Amino acid sequence: MASTIPIQTDTFRLGFVGAGKMAESIAKGVVKSGVLPASRIRTAHRDFDRREAFSSFGIKVFEHNHEVVEDSDVVIISVKPQIVKEVVLQLKPLLTEDKLLVSIAAGVKLSDLQEWAGNNRFIRVMPNTPSAVGQAASVMSLGGTASEEDGVLIASLFGAIGRIWRADEKLFDAVTGLSGSGPAYIFLAIDALADGGVAAGLPRDLALGLASQTVLGAAAMAINTGKHPGQLKDDVASPGGTTIAGIHELEKGGFRGVLINAVVAAANRSREFAKR
């Protein structure tokens, strides 16, 4: 089968069909981490500013998407979800089985992508917005004829902008509810923590800096210590102390239940979109 032709990891060229912010974040991360030199990455755009954003760090920028596909071995479809079908159908004659196709379009299923492309060598990846600062939480699912080697290759690319997990595609709506929408929940929490600091007498700048760094530090501890977050919480909450007084207020307000409901509500909305 043509689909088993391996991608040559030391020479393959990576193309982005769609030159938006997410594509730029991935490209920059891949170059910065040394996974791929800029000379082996290409994209296309007609807008001067978008062209400049990519060419400024050495990426080849074409006029048309078909040139990107023709000159690439791995093609990342990074256009907006509502135009994915139109773009893939236009490029279909070029999307041959020797190319590994990747989609980062939210809510667009592998079965549809494979049908439109006439090619089952597809991997669907869901990154999130912290990819812009190299701290993405991404999840990938392999399509029909994508090989384990293909999966390893894509994991290395997306590992350059954060952390990546592999999961069954049926879990992607829940992934959307948690990591896709989750950054917004944390931004709200940072804003509220800073407001609390101001209410307690801190200057706004100091309160916001402390709130942001506190969230960053707590997340780093959760990732790096290997301890359950409940244990980390217990480590901070000394008997009759300040922390347990604050936790008591959070529990009275239904803090955990509200966050659980937020994830479930976003996941449910994602399922609704998928049905349309």
Side-chain angles (χ1 to χ4, degrees), residues 83-100:
I83 63 165
V84 169
K85 182 177 182 179
E86 175 192 340
V87 170
V88 173
L89 287 173
Q90 281 174 354
L91 297 171
K92 184 175 182 175
L94 304 173
L95 303 177
T96 47
E97 286 273 354
D98 59 325
K99 297 182 190 294
L100 172 56

Side-chain angles (χ1 to χ4, degrees), residues 47-92:
D47 177 76
F48 175 79
D49 289 341
R50 292 314 301 151
R51 292 175 67 86
E52 186 65 21
F54 284 85
S55 61
S56 65
F57 60 104
I59 284 170
K60 190 170 185 177
V61 184
F62 290 109
E63 286 283 323
H64 304 287
N65 285 334
H66 69 82
E67 296 172 283
V68 176
V69 177
E70 286 168 344
D71 200 40
S72 302
D73 305 294
V74 178
V75 179
I76 298 181
I77 312 288
S78 48
V79 296
K80 288 183 167 59
Q82 54 268 34
I83 63 165
V84 169
K85 182 177 182 179
E86 175 192 340
V87 170
V88 173
L89 287 173
Q90 281 174 354
L91 297 171
K92 184 175 182 175

